Amino acid sequence: MAHHVRRRTVVLGGMAAGLAAAGAASPAIAATAGHGGPAPTVTRRLGGFEVVALLDAHGPFFLTMDEAFDGATEHDWDRARRVDPGAFGPERTWNLDFRCFAVRLPSGGYALVDAGVGPEGSPASAWAPVPGELPLRLAEAGIRSGDVRIVVLTHLHADHAGWSVSPEGMPYFPNARYVVQRTEISALERNGDETILPFVVEPLRDSGQLDPVGGGVCLARTARGGLMTVPTPGHTPGHQSVLVRDHGEQILITGDVLVHAVQLVAPNVAYRFEADPALARRTRRALLDAAGEWPTWLATAHLTRPFLRAESGDR
């Protein structure tokens, strides 16, 4: 979402009106007992896969909803509130989660999608509402750092890569390859980035764990599906989402294509800090149109509901 203290770059995605929020009452979803706020871990099973939503952090954003989004009507806000009421604070403030997802692989081990805000002292800690708690969430889910075989970074904003590498420059997941789109890395290098390149990219290169890829990549297969990356540029040049498909259903881990419910119900609403707003809008609509063709759950990084059912319909 944001990766520089001064720029505070955040991109939000969008979706359509046909959404039904999925709660812990669903038999396919198990939630860890909460702490008065969002559930720290929520699990959804899909064929041979298990997807665990891990709450790294939660709190108010530094911009109000009206400052962050352009073009939303009061009708849009009303519809968004019905989808994700937890995102709405007093006086137009915006509450959000910072969430990662662990995918249990049929062959053993886990893939981790995104690495959260990180600890105190990480690049995101200067602007995120609280330090991250991903190691605690992983422990609650029974996942050790050595169990993680793959880390997919949807993009290289600080609140999605914070637990990739420790402040001492050591990868948090010693047995994992870190999958990042080449175009994402190239964009940081062209822009002379002095935050994420030295904090994340260079240590992973040094350890031999950085795995730059181009386009969609299959990470695991089953007889009736698999786990794969899906390029979804716009939020950043090399943004990617992750698709889990099995037994005729799928879970789409959206990264920052989808972040606030106002863009779920009104996909053309612009977010203030999108790298390429026109491309982000096209990507968002294409992704949601494709999701509507399959029974799909959307797994979101920043809504206060980790899983949302995508349904076809006009947007």
Side-chain angles (χ1 to χ4, degrees):
M1 183 171 286
H3 68 95
H4 285 106
V5 177
R6 293 187 181 275
R7 289 174 58 198
R8 293 178 171 177
T9 305
V10 181
V11 181
L12 299 169
M15 190 182 147
L19 287 173
S26 167
I29 298 177
T32 298
H35 41 61
T41 60
V42 180
T43 300
R44 181 156 191 88
R45 296 171 183 87
L46 182 66
F49 295 98
E50 182 178 272
V51 180
V52 186
L54 304 162
L55 183 66
D56 186 47
H58 171 82
F61 197 51
F62 54 80
L63 297 177
T64 67
M65 299 183 304
D66 299 300
E67 292 170 328
F69 300 95
D70 181 37
T73 67
E74 285 306 312
H75 179 59
D76 295 332
W77 291 120
D78 289 343
R79 293 163 66 205
R81 187 185 296 272
R82 291 195 293 271
V83 173
D84 189 20
F88 290 75
E91 299 181 357
R92 313 286 283 191
T93 54
W94 167 27
N95 301 321
L96 71 164
D97 289 355
F98 297 80
R99 191 178 295 108
C100 312
F101 291 88
V103 182
R104 183 174 58 80
L105 303 172
S107 60
Y110 288 83
L112 180 67
V113 182
D114 283 333
V117 169
E120 190 68 46
S122 68
S125 65
W127 62 266
V130 292
E133 296 183 317
L134 180 60
L136 174 61
R137 301 298 169 232
L138 288 167
E140 290 173 345
I143 303 171
R144 299 169 296 181
S145 62
D147 296 334
V148 177
R149 303 288 189 259
I150 303 166
V151 176
V152 179
L153 298 177
T154 61
H155 59 298
L156 291 176
H157 283 169
D159 60 318
H160 288 256
W163 291 101
S164 297
V165 177
S166 73
E168 295 75 32
M170 299 299 295
Y172 271 107
F173 304 100
N175 298 326
R177 59 184 174 114
Y178 288 69
V179 178
V180 187
Q181 290 289 320
R182 291 190 188 94
T183 51
E184 187 78 355
I185 299 170
S186 297
L188 293 182
E189 293 172 337
R190 286 195 307 270
N191 294 332
D193 172 80
E194 297 179 354
T195 304
I196 298 300
L197 285 176
F199 186 85
V200 175
V201 176
E202 292 169 7
L204 293 176
R205 276 181 176 150
D206 291 343
S207 71
Q209 293 173 249
L210 184 66
D211 186 7
V213 299
V217 176
C218 182
L219 303 173
R221 294 185 185 275
T222 65
R224 299 180 62 183
L227 173 71
M228 62 207 76
T229 65
V230 180
T232 48
H235 179 85
T236 62
H239 190 284
Q240 60 185 345
S241 301
V242 175
L243 183 65
V244 185
R245 181 179 289 173
D246 208 357
H247 286 75
E249 290 190 90
Q250 60 189 21
I251 296 173
L252 182 59
I253 304 173
T254 60
D256 275 7
V257 175
L258 305 175
V259 182
H260 192 286
V262 74
Q263 290 185 301
L264 298 179
V265 300
N268 286 335
V269 170
Y271 181 72
R272 179 173 174 176
F273 298 114
E274 285 172 329
D276 186 335
L279 178 57
R281 185 181 299 114
R282 293 195 300 271
T283 292
R284 183 158 54 245
R285 297 189 70 93
L287 179 140
L288 294 168
D289 287 344
E293 296 175 1
W294 283 71
T296 301
W297 292 92
L298 302 173
T300 65
H302 296 298
L303 275 70
T304 65
R305 308 296 295 267
F307 295 102
L308 295 148
R309 189 75 175 185
E311 298 178 2
S312 60
D314 295 334
R315 296 187 174 96

